[in-house]
Amino acid sequence: MSLQERLTDDMKQAMRAKQKDRLTTIRMVKASLQNEAIKFGRQDLTEEEELTVLNREMKQRRDSLREFESAGREDLASKVADEIVVLEAYMPEQLSEDDVTAIVTAAIAQTNAIGPSDMGKVMGVVMPQVKGKADGGLVNRIVKQQLTNQ
């Protein structure tokens, strides 16, 4: 079942169960996917393109959550946190920090990176492998940490 079909089914279930917040989040994601398809001039997106849209939506919500929490807006923060929970159901299983560290270590060996100046090379190898499966901030932190310890 494609992501679009899954979203449509979940949207119908949310309507029947009168889960207004969940329904709103699913509709926003569907709209983002449709806008991306229109941008590419196609009817359907590839799995990778769908994942890119989901990652973008998730990143926007995480950024909003941090901003709302730092501003003391708990009402808005809890709403965004609920949206994140809904979105996580559609994301692939996330890699653990140990898994990301292993991928980064392999990438450093592959690129013969010797210090922080090689961060771009390492990130270029790591990011396609972890796309949608790990937070970019976590990857960035691990790469920096390992290159600094070299």
Side-chain angles (χ1 to χ4, degrees), residues 9-148:
D9 289 347
D10 290 351
M11 191 171 74
K12 290 175 186 176
Q13 289 174 356
M15 279 188 236
R16 287 186 195 113
K18 297 187 184 347
Q19 298 170 325
K20 186 179 173 191
D21 293 338
R22 185 166 185 259
L23 178 61
T24 302
T25 304
I26 293 170
R27 281 183 173 155
M28 280 193 284
V29 173
K30 277 187 64 87
S32 293
L33 289 167
Q34 287 172 338
N35 287 338
E36 194 78 4
I38 290 168
K39 185 173 102 178
F40 289 128
R42 294 188 303 219
Q43 198 68 2
D44 294 319
L45 296 173
T46 64
E47 237 179 84
E48 188 173 316
E49 291 165 341
E50 290 175 341
L51 187 58
T52 300
V53 173
L54 282 175
N55 281 330
R56 186 180 327 130
E57 293 293 318
M58 188 65 94
K59 183 177 181 344
Q60 287 174 349
R61 282 166 179 79
R62 285 188 178 132
D63 291 345
S64 296
L65 182 62
R66 274 192 292 276
E67 291 295 319
F68 291 146
E69 286 175 342
S70 68
R73 294 295 308 266
E74 293 304 316
D75 55 328
L76 295 174
S78 70
K79 183 178 185 289
V80 171
D82 292 343
E83 290 178 2
I84 289 172
V85 170
V86 172
L87 283 175
E88 284 175 340
Y90 302 102
M91 297 292 290
E93 188 173 330
Q94 298 295 295
L95 295 171
S96 70
E97 193 166 332
D98 292 338
D99 293 338
V100 174
T101 302
I103 291 170
V104 169
T105 303
I108 289 172
Q110 178 185 341
T111 60
N112 297 320
I114 54 173
S117 62
D118 294 324
M119 187 159 177
K121 284 196 295 189
V122 175
M123 291 294 283
V125 171
V126 172
M127 289 312 288
Q129 295 177 47
V130 300
K131 186 173 186 168
K133 299 176 189 168
D135 180 50
L138 172 68
V139 175
N140 191 316
R141 182 176 55 80
I142 292 172
V143 170
K144 254 186 211 171
Q145 183 180 29
Q146 289 209 4
L147 288 176
T148 304

